[in-house]
Structures are given as C-alpha cells and as structure tokens.
Amino acid sequence: MLKINLGSIIQSILWVIDPFFYTKKSPAVIHSIMFLRKIKIIAAFMFVTTGFHAFSQNMVTIPIETRENALVMQTDKDNHLAIIYFGRKLSLAAEYQSIPIQTRQQDGNSGIYNSAYTPSGTWNVSEPALQVTHADGNKSLDLVYISHKTSKENDNVSTISILLKDPVYPVEVTLFYKIYSNENVIEQWSVIHSEEKSALTLQKYASANLYFIAKDYYLTHYNGTWAREMQPEEEQLTAGIRVLDSKLGTRANLFQPPSFLLSFDKPATETEGKVLLGTLAWSGNFRTDFEVDSYHNLRLISGINNYASEYPLASKQDFKTPSFIYTYSENGKGDASRNLHNWARKYRILDGEGSRLTLLNNWEATYFDFNEEKLSALFKDGKKLGVDLFLLDDGWFANKYPRNDDHAGLGDWQENIKKLPNGIGHLVKEATSAGIKFGIWVEPEMVNPKSELYEKHPDWVIKQPARPEHYMRNQLPLDLSNPEVQTFVFGVLDKLFTENPNIAYIKWDCNAITFNAYSAYLEKSKQKQSQLYVDYVRGLYKVLEKLRAKYPKIPMMLCSGGGGRVDYEALKYFTEFWPSDNTDPMERIFMQWEYSYFFPALAQSNHVTDWGKQPLKFRTDVAMMGKLGYDIVVSHLNEKDLKFSQQAVYTYNSIKDVIWHGDLFRLVDPKKNDYAALMFNSKDKKRAVLFSYLVNNRYASGSDVPFKLQGLDPVKKYKVKELNLYPDSKTSIKEDQTYSGDYLMTIGFNPVVSTRRTSVIVEITTVD
Ligand code: DGJ
C-alpha cells in the first residue's frame, strides 16, 4: 500500500522556511541561510522519499492465485497480515496492493476484521481463528508477519506458507495455502507451534480464516437426519454470526455436513453468479462461522469444532489443523462444482481416476437371516444380473452373542459358525466359482454391550464411568484415541484380508454418534478428556493410514447407516460413500443432486432397492446417475424385470466411463420444476448421457418444451438415442435426426418426460 505521510511533508517544509522569519536579513546571513536552506531541502526530500520508500517496501503483498482467482493478503503498518482481496484474479498482480486504499476493512473498535488469521486477547475482539491460554495462564495472543515462501510440486500444484509469530510469547503459526491452479481449488490449513516451557492450551484452532467483500451473501447449507440427508436451505446472511457445526463425534454429519455454497451479491444459479463451494476435510466435529461484520463484509472461520475440545500443545510440538477446501467461480455453481470434481478425482479420492465395481448387496434381501446355501444362491443371482461383486452385509459374525439382530455381537469379528460353518474363505471360493467377486461389511469402530469384546475390554468403550450408558442402535463407539483400540480395529480388517486375500471390497459402516464422551485411556495416560473428539478422529486416520499402506488399492465404501459420513479427508482412504439409507428414488433424486455439488458421481454409491413406489425402471435410472449397485432379491424379479435389469447393467457398463469421469451439468432443478435433468459429458465432448426424472405426478406434468443442454461442442453434429428402455416399450424420441451442438445448447432438447415416461436416459454422441 502506498501512503504519503502528509504530516512529515508539511513539517519538513516548515523546517526549511522557518529561519526566514526569525533571522536578520544581512547579505552574509541571507547567503548562509540560503545555503542552509538548500541542504535542508535536499535532506527533507531525502527524508520524505526514503521514508516513503521504506514504508512501501515494508508492506508485503502475497497473492495466492489459481488459474482464474486470487486471494490476496497484505501486511499493515504494524505487520499484521490481512486479506485485502478475494475474487477474480487481476492481470497486473502489482495492482493488488492498491485495493485497500479504496476499501474500508478495519474497525477501530473491534481490531482488524480482515485478519488473515485472527488472534484473540489483544487488539482484536472479534471472533478469533486462534485462541490460546499460555503455559503461564495468560490468554493474550498477537500474530505478526515474519516471512513467506512458495514451494512448487509441479506446474499445477504449489504451496505458499506464511509464518506469523507472537512478538511476546514463543508461539508461531504457519498458514498453508495449497494451490491447484487449473482446478481453481485451494486447500488451506494451519500449523500452530509453541516453544513455551510447558504445554499451552488451544481453545480455538481454525484451519482457515477468510474475508469477503460483496453487496450481499447467500449461504446454502444442509440439514437432515437418518433417511433425510442433505436437505438444502438457502438464506441471506445478516449482521452477526451464523454457525454451521456438529457435536456428534463419530458420525458427525448426521444432522449437518461440513459442506456449503456461498453466493456473493445475489444467489448464484448453475450458470451465473459468484459462488464459493467450501468444505472441511475432517471426519469429526466441525465448526464454520460466517460473520457479517459492521461494514457488511463477511468473515469466515472454519475448522475443528472447539466445543468441549480444548487441546494441549506441548513445548516444541506442532498442531496441524485439517484442511479447509474451497473453490470459487464467477460462472455459477455448475462451473464451481466441476472444478471441485476435477480436483477430487485427480488429487483426493482414492483411485479417483480409476474404475469402480457394480455390486449386489444382500442387506435388504436377507437382513440378518442367511446361511451358506442362501448366500451361494445369491452369488449366482449376482452373476445372472451381471454385476461385478457380491457384498455380504451385517450378520456374518459373533458366536457367544450371535449377530442375529442389531442388539448383539458387534465387536466379535469371528464368523458365526451356525450361519457360516465353513468360514469366509469358503464363501470367497463359492463366489469366485460363481464368477463374481466377494466383498464384506464391517463396522469396526463400534461395539454392542452384549458382546465378548465389551466383556473383555469395557475400558475400550467411550462412556461415562459413573453414568448410565446411552445407545444409538444399541451400540457404543470404541475409544480410538487408545492405541490398543487402533491396533484392534486395524486387526479386524487385516485378519480378513490375510485369511482371505481375495476379498475384493469393504463396506465400512458406523451407526452411532458419540454420547457421554469420556475416555478411560486418556484418563489413565494422564491426558485431557477434552482431547477425545480430536484424538478419536486422529486415531481413525492412523488406522486407515496403516491399512492403506498394506492394502493400497482395495475399494472401500464409507457408510454411516446413511447419514452421509463423507468428507475429503476420509476420501483419501475410501473410494466411495453411501449417501443415505433412504433409497426411495424420489428422495434420492434430490439428495444425489445436492451431494453432486461437492462430490463426483463415481464416489456416490446408489443402489436399486425396493424402497418407494416407483417402477423398477425409475429406480434403476436414478441409481445410474452415480455408482450403480443393487440391493434386491433378484430371484423375485419377474421375467421382464430381470431382463430389464440385466440389460440395465450392460447399458451402465457402456456409459459408466462418462458418468464417472465426465463433466456434470445440472440442467433442470427438481426443487423448482416438475422434473429434474442433468447430463454428464465426456471430456472430449464426443459423448454425453442425459438423465431426466419426473418429480411431480400432477396432471400433465412433464417436459413440454426443450431445455438447453450444456458443455457440447457447438460445431459438432450429434445424434440422440434413448437408453434403458423397459422391454417392449418404444421411445418417444426422434432418433433419426442429428443436431448441432449449437442447436442443442441454444434451442435445447426435449426427452419427453411425462407421467407415462417418468424417467428417460438419452445418449448423445457425435456423428462421425
Ligand atoms: C446401515 C447401513 O446403511 C445399511 O446399508 C446396512 O449395512 C446396515 N447398517 C447393517 O447393519
């Protein structure tokens, strides 16, 4: 920032002319005064220019730029680091430094609103990013800029780290900004370090602190519960703080996920408007504060929820926060989410650019009631259906307290000898000889009180020692802050894989939240109870890290009795997630639509089940917009349904590459229309798959007029073909006509969705 110090200029002028008014004007005196004046003028000039130069040189400006956007920080006269810009990047980076001249960003009463990482207990009194109690009990913290550096991983990925220090206490914070340039994604985290003599206490320790200036702010966040996940609400943010958070511990996302959309100026649409998609990569309690300050600017602070989670930081130790991940677009929500999908597939989701397995799950087909014969028949059914894998669900384990319902056995991971006298190995063999891969369900973080594990290790369980136990689905979480428990959980999976190397898939479930948060291990090891929520998640990551070191590739589904336990830290270890137990396709259209803002289709497991009243074709068409699976009794399908389903799996295999790796365009929003429509386009724009679903059954509802397609090549010619028709039914689409991409994107296309054709899938391919 260039600021001319007017005061010193005026003072200098007075200092130069002053002698004229007080000295006698004899020629000799005038001569010497004139000489003196010259020297003073030169000195004054030098003082002003060098002072000005030194001042402007001390201002450090740090632009964090992606291909299209910039987050710019700058130090002020006291060396505090503030955010001076967030938005589309400027072509002349040097011009960032003049932004603050025209912008009111500070406040004399509350300190600096736009701090890049707001400390607490000193000059700042607004919501902090970092709040500590020093080893001596003092609660003040200041952070001044020390240095920054850039490290480049490759042409696309680099990390800028900025070191801040407290001038009084030996505490420092390094802010990290990992830039994925082409994807316009920034991954941001902080590392807090202390050199105090003994441990200090972290009271709040955010991952990211951002600052936005816009006319207005519109936040879309999600709420829900079991079977009602991802219910969106959009609200205009007004003065004060709006908090999105979770205090549920183990399955933290049950009522609210850590993902949100934030529109600037006005609500963004799919194709227009300024929008940020943000999410915290953390599988536990999270908290994001949105504060509209007294200048109507927006402060955002996101990180681990500090609720009941004061965390000790020992001397010479680091505390690394989880990553806050965000992308920004000035071209609407569609562009922003495609950027996030590209990033997630390339850089984050395990095997994100790879393939996935279609499967038949037995949960809704058998629940706990199965044996080897039944399962062998199901393997054959899966093969008949044409899917890649059979997934054996809950109920295969425990003997003293057999797992015949959800009241007992969880924790006792030995095959139930009544149901499976020949063990898992036999099942894997049977499946293989039926020509299908074999996968298995586990819920290794949990225990039923009615189990041998609980009897043997009551101290491994999260529960208050002096209070009655409180259950969700008759179970309790194990204490993953305890290294012994981590070893146990790793061992559950390791034993399965070691004994049965051909197991090809894992469904990792987690059905209870954390009540009565208390750890016998933390007590015994003289650590703080307030570490539990954080150490649980860290313990989980340790297990997953170890598992992936030994079994790097095996696909795993992250499931949480629905509840959408999904975030971008867990997805480093998992290939997919289970969005909800609610597989009623009508509900799923809406949920899958909302999840699709944050997660690409290849990570969303969608199963065809018997939920809902819709015909099999509708259920199948809805499941196809993600990773297709089945949870039905194949042998109960009538001839036509079976033929349709076999054909559907075959069709899916022919289009799955476009769905998994292509670009998603959400075209017609089911929340505002009679029907939903979305399309996936291959990166080379040669192929696209269009899905449309009727969501309103009132008289004459449907697609009367064409709607505009997106993402095609305007000069290419395309032909259209309806896919996944039910046996003996005919298409209503004129398939012998070709259209230019320009036509399809300007005039549009009508798949003729109606009460008689409630779901329609259309393949759009270039004409060679
Ligand atoms: C909850 C999951 O969401 C279901 O799919 C199933 O695996 C059950 N748990 C098994 O207990």
Side-chain angles (χ1 to χ4, degrees), residues 570-615:
L571 284 176
K572 281 182 177 170
Y573 309 101
F574 289 87
T575 47
E576 55 219 72
F577 70 96
W578 184 234
S580 173
D581 271 352
N582 190 339
T583 45
D584 177 330
M586 195 53 79
E587 296 299 326
R588 274 297 188 114
I589 292 168
F590 291 84
M591 279 185 214
Q592 292 170 191
W593 181 278
E594 299 303 327
Y595 276 117
S596 82
Y597 285 110
F598 307 98
F599 304 102
L602 98 164
Q604 278 204 49
S605 295
N606 302 335
H607 292 181
V608 178
T609 72
D610 289 328
W611 281 58
K613 298 191 179 78
Q614 290 76 17

Side-chain angles (χ1 to χ4, degrees), residues 379 423-434 436-440 496 499-504:
F379 300 156
I424 298 293
H426 170 74
L427 294 180
V428 181
K429 261 195 223 133
E430 285 283 288
T432 314
S433 57
I436 196 165
K437 292 180 198 298
F438 181 86
I440 197 161
L496 275 172
E499 290 175 1
N500 311 286
N502 288 332
I503 286 183

Side-chain angles (χ1 to χ4, degrees), residues 194-211:
S194 159
E195 292 280 333
E196 294 190 7
K197 283 205 181 83
S198 52
L200 60 75
T201 306
L202 299 170
Q203 250 109 21
K204 190 174 182 194
Y205 31 95
S207 301
N209 190 168
L210 293 172
Y211 194 71

Side-chain angles (χ1 to χ4, degrees), residues 363 368 393-394 403 441 473 507 509 511 559 561-562 578 581:
W363 175 241
F368 297 94
D393 214 286
D394 196 355
R403 181 74 172 167
W441 177 97
R473 209 193 187 206
K507 176 176 178 182
D509 210 343
N511 284 285
C559 173
W578 184 234
D581 271 352

